[in-house]
Amino acid sequence: MTGLESEGSQVRRAVCPGSFDPITNGHLDIIARASRLYDEVYVAVMINQSKKGLFAIEERIDLIGRVTAEYGNVRVESFHGLLVDFCKEREIPAIVKGLRAVSDFDYELQMAQMNNGLSGVETLFMPTNPTYSFLSSSLVKEVATWGGDVSHLVPPLVHDALADRLRRN
Ligand code: PNS
């Protein structure tokens, strides 16, 4: 039996949801910390049909899988529709979210309360490492597009993928 297949309801599971276009060091910090608290951590990559990302969903999943492989208890999947349905199907009782600043809180609180009301799933907020409190995928893409250095903000293989993608675009 592998760690990811053991004992049904005894397994403590959580999900880290997001767009991850692409994954940053800020995301990775939250996923790594969640992976130390839970037996299994799902990274759920939202499929947003109305928004074309820089990276395709499969590319995002591949990048996340490679940068989280060392943790051993992280699995990466895409989802569309409601996050609570993703949780229900996999018996995941907890959503783990990073909070960068007070400005994140209003919307995150709304989502947490809605998700709890819909299905009873709990949301746990983790303060982001202050090193990454200003960081977002959108800013990374914007800075990289104009030639700024983002090498300290994303894992090296994401940095390579970003450079490659922007060269071709
Ligand atoms: O990285 P993002 O884009 O800020 O992540 C947002 C995400 C995916 C966490 C959020 O939009 C979400 O959970 N979407 C799934 C749809 C859903 O369940 N909506 C109701 C939320 S109360």
Side-chain angles (χ1 to χ4, degrees), residues 94 133 149:
S133 60
D149 179 14

Side-chain angles (χ1 to χ4, degrees), residues 14-155:
V15 61
C16 296
S19 302
F20 303 104
D21 184 36
I23 187 167
T24 68
N25 286 343
H27 295 129
L28 196 54
D29 175 61
I30 298 294
I31 296 165
R33 288 157 63 193
S35 81
R36 294 195 284 272
L37 295 174
Y38 290 91
D39 299 318
E40 294 178 5
V41 172
Y42 285 75
V43 178
V45 184
M46 180 178 66
I47 299 170
N48 183 350
Q49 259 121 8
S50 63
K51 194 170 162 195
K52 190 182 177 310
L54 183 63
F55 292 97
I57 294 293
E58 298 71 30
E59 293 173 315
R60 297 180 211 178
I61 290 174
D62 175 62
L63 290 171
I64 299 166
R66 286 155 68 196
V67 299
T68 60
E70 65 185 274
Y71 307 139
N73 62 344
V74 174
R75 59 184 354 159
V76 193
E77 293 182 15
S78 63
F79 77 105
H80 61 93
L82 292 178
L83 180 60
V84 291
D85 290 335
F86 181 92
C87 293
K88 215 176 292 175
E89 284 156 18
R90 291 158 186 80
E91 296 183 58
I92 301 171
I95 300 166
V96 174
K97 287 281 192 80
L99 276 189
R100 290 168 295 191
V102 179
S103 50
D104 279 346
F105 186 70
D106 269 355
Y107 186 50
E108 290 297 344
L109 181 65
Q110 279 183 352
M111 284 200 287
Q113 291 169 328
M114 177 63 85
N115 284 331
N116 185 260
L118 285 171
S119 74
V121 69
E122 298 289 357
T123 298
L124 286 304
F125 293 123
M126 238 183 223
T128 295
N129 180 329
T131 313
Y132 306 126
S133 60
F134 60 91
L135 187 51
S136 70
S137 299
S138 313
L139 273 186
V140 163
K141 283 182 284 191
E142 185 173 334
V143 171
T145 299
W146 298 106
D149 179 14
V150 293
S151 57
H152 55 304
L153 303 177
V154 292

